[in-house]
Amino acid sequence: MDALQSSLRDLDAAYRGFFDAVSGKRRGGGRVGLPVFKSRKEKRQSVRFSRNGFRIRGNGKLNLAKIGDVRVKWSRKLPADPSSVTIVLDPSGRYHASFVVDVEPEALPELDAEVGIDLGLATYAVLSDGAVIDNPRFLRKAEKRLKAAQRELSRKAKGSKNRAKARVKVAKAHAKVADTRKDWLHKQTTGIIRENQAIYLEDLNVRGLGRGRLAKSVHDAGWSTFRRMLEEKALRYGRHVGIVHRTFPSSQLCSACGHRDGPKPLAVRAWVCGACGVSHDRDLNAARNILAAGRADRLNAPGGPVRPGVAIPHQARPVERGTHRNAADMGRKPRADGAAGIPAP
């Protein structure tokens, strides 16, 4: 009965989403179709139990209504009593129990460090303090194994049991790549959050890049997941994540003097400013410009300081505003040389 009630609540939410999309009330816009029946042929199946439909036994087993006790391999201890649990069967044949718990934010000690991050493909990320994160390319490294599994699947007769077994083998290979990537992203984002009070990123057009000739490398990088993890952990640990608008010319500006040197092809990895003669690494220069632009946006954000020289509140919500060329002269000490100036458009 509990699972049926959950299905009815999901159906109600689906209809509300559809009618809100038709009437233009849905947040974010976008088209939403009418809800459809869940097919038993779908590779991902799920069922949700509310508080009255499950309980955790003292021996670590999970008791589900109409199912009974289920053995669980716990990945971590629950921080609070869960309000619901969702059992998910993924395409690789694994069952997962996802609990909903209410936890309080765990603010970390405040730091003075701030960093700008330039994301890329040759190197995954270059930080404004000079640190470089190499691109692990998990999908590229697993391509040989994935191709072999796909060839084996293509040779099986449709509808046969052997084809079903081969499909699970392909799903497990892809799941291993996805799990490895997610684990790596968690470690990188946690380290960045712990070492910096504010992090600034560029708003990349990942959807557009994912339709181009570099689509496989873009999807393998997982930039959207990287940004989402940073924002979620910043909210939990009392940090700040600022997003610089995608039209900001981070690769065209000299971080030392602010001169706009014009667009450059991706093959150009280093260049010399035509105004001041400073030699720049393309990615490091872009990271420093992103840091300065993020600081300027944060300075102009609602809830920021009214007078120059007043400390910026750490919880100010970032919004798009005009940048100030001399933001570093308004009581803000730049983290690295050349990270202060942002030229007026």
Side-chain angles (χ1 to χ4, degrees):
M1 190 65 182
D2 185 74
L4 296 178
Q5 292 176 349
S6 298
S7 297
L8 289 176
R9 286 192 290 268
D10 292 340
L11 179 65
D12 178 65
Y15 270 114
R16 281 190 282 108
F18 169 73
F19 288 116
D20 287 347
V22 171
S23 60
K25 299 179 181 179
R26 184 171 179 267
R27 290 185 59 185
R31 298 178 60 182
V32 176
L34 281 168
V36 297
F37 285 103
K38 182 185 294 185
S39 172
R40 63 187 296 269
K41 296 182 180 180
E42 290 182 5
K43 302 303 183 292
R44 184 185 184 277
Q45 300 286 344
S46 65
V47 60
R48 187 170 63 254
F49 297 89
S50 62
R51 195 184 301 273
N52 295 328
F54 75 98
R55 64 175 56 88
I56 300 175
R57 302 291 192 187
N59 57 5
K61 291 186 178 181
L62 176 64
N63 180 269
L64 302 173
K66 301 294 184 179
I67 297 177
D69 289 349
V70 178
R71 290 181 298 174
V72 179
K73 186 177 180 180
W74 297 91
S75 62
R76 71 195 70 178
K77 184 179 179 180
L78 294 177
D81 292 334
S83 59
S84 68
V85 61
T86 303
I87 308 300
V88 179
L89 171 63
D90 66 11
S92 62
R94 300 178 301 179
Y95 286 90
H96 303 271
S98 176
F99 295 89
V100 176
V101 296
D102 187 14
V103 296
E104 296 294 330
E106 305 171 11
L108 293 173
E110 292 191 7
L111 303 172
D112 294 330
E114 298 183 353
V115 69
I117 302 177
D118 179 64
L119 298 175
L121 295 177
T123 55
Y124 190 86
V126 176
L127 281 59
S128 58
D129 58 6
V132 176
I133 301 176
D134 293 329
N135 193 348
R137 295 183 175 88
F138 295 109
L139 181 61
R140 294 287 186 182
K141 293 178 180 178
E143 272 188 325
K144 186 176 181 180
R145 184 174 67 254
L146 291 171
K147 287 180 180 179
Q150 290 283 7
R151 282 196 300 268
E152 185 179 346
L153 174 63
S154 66
R155 294 173 182 146
K156 306 301 181 184
K158 292 186 177 180
S160 65
K161 292 185 177 180
N162 284 336
R163 184 178 178 87
K165 294 177 183 178
R167 183 198 59 77
V168 172
K169 187 176 180 180
V170 172
K172 286 183 178 180
H174 280 284
K176 184 176 181 180
V177 174
D179 292 344
T180 307
R181 182 189 298 113
K182 186 180 293 184
D183 177 72
W184 183 83
L185 288 172
H186 270 298
K187 292 176 180 177
Q188 298 299 326
T189 52
T190 299
I192 293 173
I193 286 292
R194 290 187 180 279
E195 296 171 2
N196 299 278
Q197 183 65 37
I199 301 99
Y200 303 104
L201 299 168
E202 191 173 10
D203 184 22
L204 297 174
N205 183 15
V206 179
R207 181 175 296 180
L209 293 170
R211 293 195 293 262
R213 61 185 181 88
L214 299 175
K216 183 180 290 187
S217 298
V218 170
H219 291 305
D220 189 17
W223 290 332
S224 297
T225 306
F226 179 81
R227 171 177 166 177
R228 176 178 56 80
M229 287 183 178
L230 278 178
E231 292 175 335
E232 291 175 352
K233 294 177 182 180
L235 184 64
R236 180 176 180 180
Y237 295 114
R239 299 301 199 225
H240 172 81
V241 173
I243 306 301
V244 177
H245 197 271
R246 65 183 58 171
T247 58
F248 175 68
S250 59
S251 298
Q252 302 180 27
L253 300 175
C254 173
S255 58
C257 67
H259 174 69
R260 185 165 182 170
D261 210 35
K264 305 167 188 64
L266 290 175
V268 177
R269 308 314 304 171
W271 56 283
V272 178
C273 177
C276 65
V278 176
S279 179
H280 292 294
D281 175 83
R282 180 192 182 105
D283 298 331
L284 179 58
N285 177 72
R288 289 173 175 173
N289 284 328
I290 291 172
L291 171 63
R295 283 174 168 173
D297 281 348
R298 193 179 180 194
L299 185 68
N300 295 330
V306 179
R307 299 185 305 277
V310 180
I312 301 176
H314 290 291
Q315 299 299 327
R317 182 170 56 89
V319 296
E320 295 178 14
R321 292 290 189 272
T323 57
H324 195 292
R325 174 143 188 185
N326 296 322
D329 298 333
M330 301 173 67
R332 301 290 296 171
K333 183 178 180 181
R335 175 176 173 81
D337 293 340
I342 295 295

